[in-house]
Amino acid sequence: MQLSLHQTVIAIAEAMLAGEPYRDSVAARAASILGAQLPWLSEAADDAVHRFGHRWDDTQPDEVAPFIADLPGFVSSWMSADRPTVIRILRRAPVQRRLPPPLAQIEIPQLAALGDLADWLELSPADLGWLANRWRVGARDGSSPLHHYSYRVCEKRDGRYRLIERPKSLLRAAQHKLLHGLLDRVPPHEAAHGFRKGRNIVSFAAPHVGQPLVIRLDLADFFVSVTEARVHSVFRTLGYTSAVARAMTAMVTNRVPSAQLLAPDLKGKFDWLEQQQFRTRHLPQGASTSPALANLCAFRLDTRLAALARSLNANYTRYADDLAFSGGAQLMSVADRLPVKVAAIAIEEGFAVQPRKTRVMPRGVRQQLAGVVVNQHPNFSRDKFDTLKATLNNCVKHGVASQNRSAHRDFRASLAGHIAHVTMLNSARGAKLKAIFDCIDWSETVGDEHGTSAL
């Protein structure tokens, strides 16, 4: 087999790495692909084990190859008339690495190769290749049927827009499998309360109840800030091979085609920076896997912010993109500087704080986190309770259609969800709302599939 110099040293390096890091076996594997035990192979094996033995399983052939090419023995052999000739290729079998010690007790799927991943996802190899092909659709080709997402825009309370990237059925099923079979088993940082079983806005707010000072900050564009590289790093940390990690990453990240951003329903909704973020592979808001992955990718952020809070004898929790700190005298002494410090840490970890949404709330004002008032005990805010109560009363008096102004597709479920939220925080108030809700006549309910709730 006639190969170039680069191809030859890569083939030798691959053979060396295809087994245990012992000098004799490393040299023997290299000799097996060259058809002879050449004198310089022992020196090459010694050098490789010395340099890379401590991380043998993670060492790549292109790391070893330059040292082989620089060995005097190899150079002399390559320059001779009887240069080394590769007669076969030997590559190491893919092996899933062990989990890091803090995660050693969890059980995750063993998926050493792409075939294992396809079998686990119940996909054919062709379908897996289709879903995991990062560049199947051109950046400017937004209308291709080969694209895996559909898009819609929702307006935020601040007048900006949120892009919902909804995966199509085949990809959506694969993402559900990844979520429930893998990601749900990996615990995020203890400070994270969003998108976790057994955690909610009440557990997020509870540590801050009755504190002299509460500080709330907000992360900008939480999901879209999480890049492909960081998602890939999560899967590699879980021990998956490069090929499997790349495939998983491709299935849970997305880049929005430029043509789609220029479509009539999206054009002008996002500024240049937001468009650049969408054009880069990121966690799509609308994929079931994005919340869990965002939590895992924010682990270092949570670790650093929790340490910052401990240094101030304060509390720290996070619910999705909402950050909360609370404490006493020490926190109060740095209240004007803390947001700047948090913003700096966030930037270093790949996120950004929205300064205009930062709130410093002493005990004398209403301290509110994610809609939960925490001055004395977790409670639903009075003004929102009054608004919801008025909506329910008007539904009873004037009919559901009079209140479903945004043509919510399931206005009944929306109202029931709001009542459940109130009940979770204040059972007495929740019971009052439920009594009114039970009096509503739903026989002439109207709605629209594409509407959003006014509440």
Side-chain angles (χ1 to χ4, degrees), residues 245-269:
R246 281 196 301 269
M248 288 180 173
T249 301
M251 286 190 290
V252 297
T253 59
N254 181 44
R255 61 169 185 160
V256 182
S258 298
Q260 189 69 53
L261 293 171
L262 296 175
D265 55 336
L266 270 64
K267 187 175 182 179
K269 298 291 196 301

Side-chain angles (χ1 to χ4, degrees), residues 234-287:
V234 167
F235 289 126
R236 290 291 283 153
T237 299
L238 295 176
Y240 291 107
T241 62
S242 294
V244 171
R246 281 196 301 269
M248 288 180 173
T249 301
M251 286 190 290
V252 297
T253 59
N254 181 44
R255 61 169 185 160
V256 182
S258 298
Q260 189 69 53
L261 293 171
L262 296 175
D265 55 336
L266 270 64
K267 187 175 182 179
K269 298 291 196 301
F270 305 101
D271 62 30
W272 182 86
L273 181 58
E274 289 171 323
Q275 291 183 44
Q276 292 305 107
Q277 287 182 307
F278 287 130
R279 290 188 179 108
T280 303
R281 292 195 75 87
H282 59 275
L283 290 180
Q285 184 160 351

Side-chain angles (χ1 to χ4, degrees), residues 275-433:
Q275 291 183 44
Q276 292 305 107
Q277 287 182 307
F278 287 130
R279 290 188 179 108
T280 303
R281 292 195 75 87
H282 59 275
L283 290 180
Q285 184 160 351
S288 61
T289 47
S290 292
L293 280 167
N295 271 345
L296 296 178
C297 289
F299 190 92
R300 275 177 50 91
L301 173 70
D302 290 331
T303 299
R304 295 182 64 181
L305 294 182
L308 175 63
R310 285 194 301 272
S311 72
L312 298 170
N313 195 28
N315 307 301
Y316 163 72
T317 57
R318 179 177 61 80
Y319 190 92
D321 55 2
D322 286 339
L323 314 178
F325 293 83
S326 67
Q330 281 186 265
L331 183 64
M332 295 173 72
S333 68
V334 298
D336 57 336
R337 302 192 301 275
L338 182 73
V340 177
K341 179 64 174 176
V342 172
I345 292 174
I347 289 174
E348 292 172 0
E349 296 302 327
F351 297 95
V353 169
Q354 298 192 70
R356 69 181 185 279
K357 291 191 175 182
T358 297
R359 298 290 182 270
V360 179
M361 300 171 284
R363 183 173 282 159
V365 304
R366 184 170 68 180
Q367 299 169 328
Q368 186 167 313
L369 300 171
V372 180
V373 178
V374 296
N375 291 72
Q376 295 180 342
H377 55 83
N379 203 355
F380 196 70
S381 65
R382 184 72 200 189
D383 54 347
K384 290 186 177 181
F385 170 78
D386 290 341
T387 299
L388 180 56
K389 183 179 178 182
T391 299
L392 293 170
N393 280 322
N394 286 334
C395 284
V396 173
K397 295 177 181 178
H398 308 296
V400 174
S402 69
Q403 300 304 299
N404 190 14
R405 300 184 183 92
S406 296
H408 196 288
R409 61 181 177 182
D410 195 343
F411 192 52
R412 181 172 187 168
S414 176
L415 290 176
H418 285 290
I419 293 171
H421 177 67
V422 175
T423 304
M424 182 171 59
L425 296 170
N426 188 314
S427 58
R429 286 185 176 180
K432 291 179 181 178
L433 297 179

